[in-house]
Amino acid sequence: PMGSERMEMRKRQTSVQQELPGSAQPQQGAGNRASNACCFCWCCCCSCSCLTVRNEDEERARRMSQEARGESLPNCEESPKPTLEEVQCWSQSFDKLMKSPAGRNAFREFLRTEYSEENMLFWLACEELKKEVNKNLVEEKARLIYEDYISILSPKEVSLDSRVREVINRNMLEPTPHTFDDAQLQIYTLMHRDSYPRFMNSAVYKMLLQSLTDTSSEP
């Protein structure tokens, strides 16, 4: 009888020990949740309303920045294939070249070979800024243009004199669609005097002109 009682007691002790880890586990989980609690509220950080609002604001600002950047810095202009007469007109004046979407694309391709594509990109960005009427987007686009093409820290910085830079810095206090007008004119003049003559003698222009000439002469 004594032996059977001892065996029964051992079974009960073993059963209690096996149950202890399981009963302690929920308390440990509760402790983890408590340690993750946000300092501003009693909920868990993963569902904290204050963080959710902040993340939504950051995401909204990021989307707005991307939208403005995508519009102000076009990758490529859509344009129909130029005619032979149109390409021939490009040699008459720089203004005719720049008024043609196909001409700007061809000229931009040439500038890329000379590592000065940022001049055309800046000019195009300024043209897009002039079309903007939303005040918030004007400020955002102006900031992006400044960071991409005016800042001395940017790898795409365009060449501007100190006078124009001072004008831009004043204009950036209250950006408008015409914040970069002086700078745009200076870059336009630079492309006209420096890059345009070389473009007229470049392989890019000559090959395009030759391909259109061959096409027009076909029966």
Side-chain angles (χ1 to χ4, degrees):
M2 292 293 293
S4 61
E5 290 179 359
R6 289 177 182 176
M7 291 179 63
E8 186 66 26
M9 291 177 63
R10 287 178 182 175
K11 289 180 180 180
R12 292 178 181 177
Q13 290 176 353
T14 302
S15 177
V16 170
Q17 290 175 354
Q18 291 175 348
E19 292 175 356
L20 283 177
S23 61
Q25 189 172 358
Q27 295 179 358
Q28 183 179 0
N32 289 337
R33 287 194 299 270
S35 64
N36 288 334
C38 177
C39 57
F40 298 105
C41 56
W42 293 102
C43 60
C44 299
C45 279
C46 60
S47 60
C48 178
S49 60
C50 59
L51 291 180
T52 301
V53 172
R54 185 180 66 184
N55 291 338
E56 289 178 352
D57 290 341
E58 291 176 352
E59 178 66 18
R60 189 180 302 110
R62 184 182 66 82
R63 287 198 303 267
M64 181 177 178
S65 177
Q66 289 180 342
E67 177 184 356
R69 187 180 297 274
E71 293 177 357
S72 62
L73 311 180
N75 289 326
C76 184
E77 290 186 90
E78 294 184 2
S79 64
K81 184 178 179 180
T83 63
L84 176 60
E85 292 75 14
E86 182 180 0
V87 174
Q88 289 173 337
C89 285
W90 298 348
S91 62
Q92 296 176 7
S93 72
F94 184 61
D95 289 342
K96 291 183 178 181
L97 170 70
M98 292 295 285
K99 289 179 180 179
S100 165
R104 290 193 295 268
N105 283 335
F107 186 48
R108 178 177 168 181
E109 181 181 346
F110 168 74
L111 292 177
R112 188 180 294 116
T113 65
E114 292 200 334
Y115 303 99
S116 58
E117 184 185 12
E118 66 274 3
N119 290 332
M120 178 62 79
L121 290 174
F122 172 69
W123 189 87
L124 291 171
C126 292
E127 288 295 292
E128 288 297 317
L129 179 64
K130 290 178 183 179
K131 301 174 185 177
E132 187 56 63
V133 295
N134 183 289
K135 185 176 183 298
N136 291 332
L137 282 179
V138 166
E139 294 178 354
E140 178 68 10
K141 289 184 177 183
R143 181 184 63 81
L144 293 174
I145 291 174
Y146 188 93
E147 291 177 355
D148 285 338
Y149 303 108
I150 309 301
S151 172
I152 60 175
L153 300 177
S154 173
K156 297 186 293 183
E157 177 193 5
V158 295
S159 179
L160 300 170
D161 61 36
S162 58
R163 180 193 66 82
V164 171
R165 287 185 174 276
E166 289 177 3
V167 171
I168 292 175
N169 289 334
R170 288 197 301 269
N171 291 343
M172 285 300 292
L173 297 176
E174 293 185 9
T176 71
H178 300 281
T179 291
F180 302 100
D181 281 4
D182 288 351
Q184 185 186 22
L185 177 60
Q186 189 167 99
I187 294 302
Y188 187 90
T189 303
L190 175 64
M191 291 190 294
H192 182 191
R193 294 177 178 176
D194 186 52
S195 302
Y196 173 64
R198 290 197 298 275
F199 171 68
M200 288 292 99
N201 293 314
S202 70
V204 172
Y205 177 73
K206 290 180 179 179
M207 289 176 62
L208 177 60
L209 186 62
Q210 185 62 46
S211 66
L212 293 174
T213 301
D214 295 342
T215 302
S216 63
S217 61
E218 292 177 357

